[in-house]
Amino acid sequence: MTRPPSRAYRAPCEFYDRLGEDVTNELVEWFNSVDATYRSDLREVNEHNFARFEAKLEQRLAELKSDLVKWMFAFWAPTALAVVALLFRR
């Protein structure tokens, strides 16, 4: 008996004994092509979802940054005015 070809998926020796080398190799090639197709589809979906996630993250960070600047101004402006008022009061 010859060894099965080196592939991503290899059938057990029982397949080669029962089905023969040609049929088993064809079955292995079919499984490998289906696996490659699904892997490429999954990779595309993952890349698309990551791009959407990254865009949402950038948008939320920009909103957070603008909110942070507003709050910083809201807290620091009265503090600065109070310090200036205390300096001129003397």
Side-chain angles (χ1 to χ4, degrees), residues 8 32-46:
N32 287 333
S33 68
V34 168
D35 182 52
T37 301
Y38 283 130
R39 282 180 189 234
S40 67
D41 290 349
L42 182 62
R43 182 174 291 119
E44 288 176 17
V45 167
N46 283 340

Side-chain angles (χ1 to χ4, degrees), residues 13-43:
C13 291
E14 291 83 22
F15 279 92
Y16 286 94
D17 293 340
R18 289 187 182 209
L19 299 176
E21 191 169 330
D22 292 337
V23 173
T24 305
N25 285 340
E26 196 173 316
L27 185 64
V28 167
E29 288 176 14
W30 180 78
F31 275 123
N32 287 333
S33 68
V34 168
D35 182 52
T37 301
Y38 283 130
R39 282 180 189 234
S40 67
D41 290 349
L42 182 62
R43 182 174 291 119

Side-chain angles (χ1 to χ4, degrees), residues 27-77:
L27 185 64
V28 167
E29 288 176 14
W30 180 78
F31 275 123
N32 287 333
S33 68
V34 168
D35 182 52
T37 301
Y38 283 130
R39 282 180 189 234
S40 67
D41 290 349
L42 182 62
R43 182 174 291 119
E44 288 176 17
V45 167
N46 283 340
E47 287 173 358
H48 178 69
N49 285 338
F50 183 73
R52 285 179 38 209
F53 168 76
E54 196 172 29
K56 276 186 178 179
L57 182 63
E58 286 178 14
Q59 178 186 5
R60 288 183 181 171
L61 283 176
E63 290 172 4
L64 179 66
K65 190 175 182 180
S66 67
D67 287 345
L68 183 63
V69 169
K70 289 176 193 175
W71 281 104
M72 285 174 56
F73 181 77
F75 285 114
W76 285 104

